[in-house]
Amino acid sequence: MKIAVCVSHVPDTATKVKIGQDGKSIDQNGVTYIINPYDEFAVEEALKTKEKIGGDTEVIVLSVGSEKSKETIRKALAMGADKGILLKNENEFESFGVAKALSTEIKNLGCDLVFCGKQSVDYDNTITGQLIAEMLGYSCITVVVKLDIDGNKIKAETEIEGGREVVESELPAVITTQKGLNEPRYASLKGIMAAKKKVIEEKPVKSSEKMIEVLKMNLPAPKQAGRIVGTDSSAVPELVKLLHEEAKVI
Ligand SMILES: Cc1cc2nc3c(=O)[nH]c(=O)nc-3n(C[C@H](O)[C@H](O)[C@H](O)COP(=O)(O)OP(=O)(O)OC[C@H]3O[C@@H](n4cnc5c(N)ncnc54)[C@H](O)[C@@H]3O)c2cc1C
């Protein structure tokens, strides 16, 4: 079986984001990029599935992006994935175009199982996996925190508000991964060295027609300085009054 894992190359969550001069893009200066954290769960689950199934199962990592996305593909290869494909496009920022590029390649490869993170922590659209499933006609299980694949059958637990839902489905399928599904392995030194020799195929993809235009980006309002109302229990009535009348949180 061929397993596809979709990984996005995202700004490090510790980065202090600045808005570019055009007012509608991110200033790339000083931004470090990492593998999308939710995609590490996707890579780990693909590797665990391969270990369980055995045989000639292959884990193929795909990313839509620029040359720089190869760093993220390389990280997944160092964790143990077999092969990487960069679907090269410098201008594709919309989930629909990203999903179109990914689903076309996944179809060509003949992957029956596709892992995505539940969300890419740059644009946070939380939609690419679902779009891929729709485009391929695969079933889709989202926000998965427990997964068991036995032959063609899939049993999964997904996170819902205040609890979990147990669902069953069949391959071919797209699974989107949530924190708690597994503990992503660290790339060993041996894995890092091996990843340097693994192939990253490069395929140019055309940009799809833009459906959404970014008009403006705003940074969140700076946090106001805190105020100490008092240091003992006598401050409680005043604190409650302020929380009710000023902060309006109670
Ligand atoms: C500063 C910046 C620069 C960017 N530069 C480029 C660029 O040069 N070229 C380009 O094509 N895109 C670029 N992007 C877009 C980016 O890589 C994502 O594709 C896009 O943000 C999709 O986000 P989303 O919120 O729709 O994904 P979501 O729907 O939240 O993502 C869900 C899951 O889909 C998968 N996924 C999402 N995006 C990708 C991807 N690109 N490749 C593989 N799997 C993916 C992952 O598994 C992810 O966990 C850039 C984004 C930013 C913020």
Side-chain angles (χ1 to χ4, degrees), residues 6-9 11 26 28 33 36 38-39 62-66 89-93 95 98 102 115-120 122-129:
C6 304
V7 294
S8 64
H9 189 59
I26 293 170
Q28 301 279 345
Y33 280 77
N36 177 39
Y38 293 107
D39 299 351
L62 302 137
S63 190
V64 182
S66 68
N89 185 309
E90 309 281 339
N91 306 304
E92 189 60 86
F93 296 90
S95 325
V98 170
L102 289 166
F115 285 100
C116 288
K118 71 145 188 172
Q119 176 177 3
S120 184
D122 43 16
Y123 286 113
D124 290 306
N125 283 324
T126 319
I127 194 176
T128 307

Side-chain angles (χ1 to χ4, degrees), residues 195-206:
K196 290 189 179 167
K197 291 190 197 139
K198 289 181 188 170
V199 181
I200 299 182
E201 245 182 273
E202 225 178 274
K203 299 186 178 182
V205 286
K206 279 197 193 137

Side-chain angles (χ1 to χ4, degrees), residues 3 87 238:
I3 303 175
L87 299 170
E238 176 65 2

Side-chain angles (χ1 to χ4, degrees), residues 66-84:
S66 68
E67 187 70 22
K68 290 181 188 156
S69 298
K70 278 189 180 171
E71 283 168 40
T72 276
I73 297 177
R74 199 68 73 191
K75 165 91 200 262
L77 293 176
M79 285 172 74
D82 298 296
K83 185 178 155 187

